[in-house]
Amino acid sequence: MKVVTGLGWGALILTLALAPLLAVDLILIYLLEDTSFPVLSTLAMLGCFYLLSTTLSFFVDGITGALRSFFRVNAPRLLDTILHGIVSGISLYVALSFFSSIDLSTFTVMAIIFVHLFGASFWLNREDLKEKTPLELDSIDQQIVHLLRTETIVSCVERIQSEYPNLPKRDVLKRVKRISQSTEVTEPT
């Protein structure tokens, strides 16, 4: 019984999150189309479109994330945005094929895809900003910052390695390199 309640809350939260996008799509459809469509059919078509688009987007995000981590390549977010546009186009085409009573013009379809492309671009850029914000320094990083003010990079690595023998040397090197590049620390002479 709790699963049904959880699914109900999840559906409610998802509906509230997608309500602005749903409103924009409905306004686009009713402004750009000459004929009016039944509201319930249009809502059902848009619901199927969102469900299919969200599901496919999860797969696309997973695949691109896996490829990024596997090949250690930082592909531009423009590629993700284009892929999300393709996913939106395919999803809208499939949803419209199920609802034969709704016949949208090519211009309306392109406008809806553009709105979703803009939303995906905004969302991906927001995620980029999250990734670029510096994380709080933990105690080891703070110690590295302190040591870099008075010691060379090599002696800093040696001191951290001797104080934290369980920490792999590779991790120590990465931390010291990252911190020395991010902070403007000059090596003592």
Side-chain angles (χ1 to χ4, degrees):
M1 193 65 163
K2 289 184 179 185
V3 172
V4 175
T5 306
L7 289 175
W9 281 109
L12 178 66
I13 291 170
L14 185 63
T15 302
L16 291 176
L18 293 176
L21 191 58
L22 181 68
V24 169
D25 287 345
L26 281 173
I27 290 169
L28 279 174
I29 289 171
Y30 281 101
L31 287 178
L32 298 177
E33 290 298 316
D34 294 333
T35 60
S36 62
F37 301 108
V39 175
L40 290 178
S41 295
T42 307
L43 286 173
M45 185 272 303
L46 287 174
C48 288
F49 165 54
Y50 293 160
L51 182 66
L52 187 60
S53 179
T54 303
T55 304
L56 290 176
S57 291
F58 281 134
F59 284 116
V60 167
D61 287 341
I63 290 171
T64 57
L67 290 176
R68 274 193 180 97
S69 66
F70 182 71
F71 291 115
R72 299 187 198 282
V73 175
N74 194 7
R77 288 292 181 183
L78 179 63
L79 178 66
D80 285 341
T81 304
I82 291 170
L83 287 174
H84 280 280
I86 292 170
V87 164
S88 291
I90 291 170
S91 301
L92 187 57
Y93 174 74
V94 169
L96 285 172
S97 68
F98 285 125
F99 293 87
S100 58
S101 63
I102 299 175
D103 186 29
L104 299 179
S105 67
T106 305
F107 183 70
T108 305
V109 169
M110 295 304 288
I112 291 172
I113 291 172
F114 179 74
V115 166
H116 285 260
L117 191 65
F118 179 73
S121 174
F122 178 74
W123 183 262
L124 291 170
N125 285 336
R126 188 182 71 80
E127 286 181 358
D128 259 358
L129 290 176
K130 279 185 189 175
E131 290 173 2
K132 290 180 183 176
T133 56
L135 299 174
E136 282 192 33
L137 299 176
D138 64 0
S139 62
I140 298 173
D141 289 346
Q142 289 174 355
Q143 189 174 2
I144 291 171
V145 169
H146 179 70
L147 287 173
L148 285 174
R149 290 184 184 141
T150 58
E151 298 184 15
T152 64
I153 292 175
V154 175
S155 62
C156 177
V157 170
E158 290 172 353
R159 291 256 321 254
I160 296 295
Q161 187 64 36
S162 66
E163 290 183 27
Y164 300 97
N166 294 339
L167 194 63
K169 188 168 186 170
R170 180 179 225 165
D171 291 345
V172 173
L173 288 170
K174 284 181 183 179
R175 284 178 178 228
V176 171
K177 183 179 179 183
R178 176 181 46 88
I179 291 171
S180 68
Q181 289 175 350
S182 66
T183 59
E184 296 181 16
V185 176
T186 58
E187 287 191 28
T189 54

